Amino acid sequence: MLNFRFAADYLMHRFKAKNRHGIHSPFVYRLVDKVIYDFEPKKVYAEIEQQRKQLLNDERVITVTDLGAGSLVNNNRKKKIGDIAKNALKPPKLAQLLYRLAADQQPDNIIELGTCLGITTLYLQNADPAGKVYTLEGCPQTAGIAKETFTKGGINNVELITGNFDDTLSGVIKKLDKLDFVFVDGNHQKDATLKYFEWCLPKVHENSLLIFDDIYWSQGMKEAWNEIKAHPQVTVTIDLFWIGLVFFKPGQAKEDFLVKV
């Protein structure tokens, strides 16, 4: 039933979504044309994907602690790193889109909820080397592998924080004057997603970008996404099916876009 619902949501999105030529907002058109639809290969893509390949071939086994809604079985169980890389890492197409969004924004700070093995973090930090990345991971042993990924990738402007997001996110937000770029990829539950969104609101500004992953993952996530879109501080949202982009542009007409990718 879940797969049928997800497939139905995907087909409906494809039917309703527009490409760049159906978009009349100059701000959104530029973002779609120059960033989202920029499919030119970049040197950094090949370098990071080589690290993904190493993780896919990693036979080591770790104990995974799942604090969100991502596990349908035991919350603590043994998993091969190669299997985690195959099943949990963001696919190249999506990770590279996040790279382009961060490169376009050039944020002073990036918060990533859900480090996993560190591949998406590599993309984000390489997109904006001068920006500071705060990446939060719930599982200590997974975080340990991510640290290895960062070392191999030669990045050092990353702070990896381990623990339950409910305990760690508020501390990161509190020490920052503003929030520039936040990627919420973890704890795929309605209440948690809305809570993290609400925590971010006091420090968003006209150039902030909040990105929510898996907005069609469950009925609860769909409801959370609809509530986020309706929030009075939110002016523009872009629904790419796999992720949702949220902007806060004073003076911009409130509008929600469905875009094909």
Side-chain angles (χ1 to χ4, degrees):
M1 182 63 71
L2 177 64
N3 289 338
F4 175 79
R5 180 199 56 75
F6 188 79
D9 285 337
Y10 179 74
L11 291 173
M12 183 60 69
H13 186 278
R14 294 291 296 177
F15 177 74
K16 291 183 175 180
K18 295 178 171 62
N19 59 27
R20 74 191 108 188
H21 302 298
I23 294 169
H24 304 294
S25 161
F27 166 70
V28 176
Y29 181 91
R30 186 205 70 83
L31 191 71
V32 173
D33 186 51
K34 302 297 184 183
V35 180
I36 295 173
Y37 285 179
D38 175 12
F39 301 121
E40 289 295 318
K42 298 172 181 23
K43 181 173 179 286
V44 69
Y45 292 178
E47 296 170 353
I48 296 177
E49 288 308 310
Q50 186 57 38
Q51 288 222 55
R52 182 195 300 269
K53 185 176 180 180
Q54 293 176 17
L55 290 167
L56 286 166
N57 293 322
D58 196 323
E59 297 287 329
R60 289 178 294 169
V61 173
I62 62 173
T63 299
V64 174
T65 304
D66 194 328
L67 301 174
S71 177
L72 300 178
V73 289
N74 294 333
N75 279 341
N76 294 280
R77 62 184 185 126
K78 303 287 186 182
K79 289 185 182 178
K80 190 186 297 184
I81 292 171
D83 290 340
I84 299 171
K86 178 182 177 182
N87 298 316
L89 287 178
K90 288 286 163 281
K93 182 178 178 180
L94 182 52
Q96 290 159 13
L97 172 56
L98 293 168
Y99 168 92
R100 297 194 299 276
L101 289 166
D104 183 64
Q105 295 285 116
Q106 287 296 291
D108 292 332
N109 58 71
I110 295 173
I111 297 177
E112 176 189 31
L113 273 73
T115 313
C116 195
L117 303 176
I119 291 296
T120 302
T121 320
L122 284 187
Y123 273 110
L124 292 171
Q125 211 282 321
N126 276 278
D128 182 26
K132 178 66 176 284
V133 178
Y134 300 88
T135 184
L136 283 59
E137 174 55 43
C139 173
Q141 292 196 22
T142 304
I145 303 301
K147 288 180 182 178
E148 295 179 11
T149 301
F150 301 158
T151 299
K152 292 176 183 176
I155 61 172
N156 50 30
N157 207 11
V158 172
E159 183 175 335
L160 174 58
I161 300 137
T162 306
N164 191 311
F165 297 159
D166 287 356
D167 302 323
T168 58
L169 177 59
S170 59
V172 175
I173 293 173
K174 195 174 296 184
K175 69 180 181 181
L176 296 173
D177 294 330
K178 60 187 177 66
L179 298 182
D180 295 334
F181 189 106
V182 180
F183 177 43
V184 181
D185 175 26
N187 198 341
H188 294 71
Q189 299 179 80
K190 177 183 176 179
D191 290 345
T193 299
L194 290 173
K195 176 168 58 180
Y196 304 150
F197 170 68
E198 293 283 350
W199 286 357
C200 290
L201 287 178
K203 294 193 175 180
V204 299
H205 54 90
E206 63 179 352
N207 294 317
S208 295
L209 170 57
L210 271 55
I211 304 175
F212 293 88
D213 187 59
D214 286 334
I215 54 176
Y216 290 89
W217 192 83
S218 66
Q219 183 61 34
M221 286 300 294
K222 287 168 62 177
E223 292 170 3
W225 175 239
N226 285 330
E227 289 192 32
I228 289 167
K229 290 192 297 180
H231 194 279
Q233 275 185 254
V234 172
T235 54
V236 175
T237 67
I238 302 176
D239 179 341
L240 301 172
F241 188 78
W242 307 107
I243 59 174
L245 313 183
V246 179
F247 295 92
F248 308 83
K249 298 285 184 185
Q252 181 108 11
K254 190 173 180 68
E255 205 164 357
D256 304 311
F257 296 86
L258 275 73
V259 175
K260 290 178 182 176
V261 289

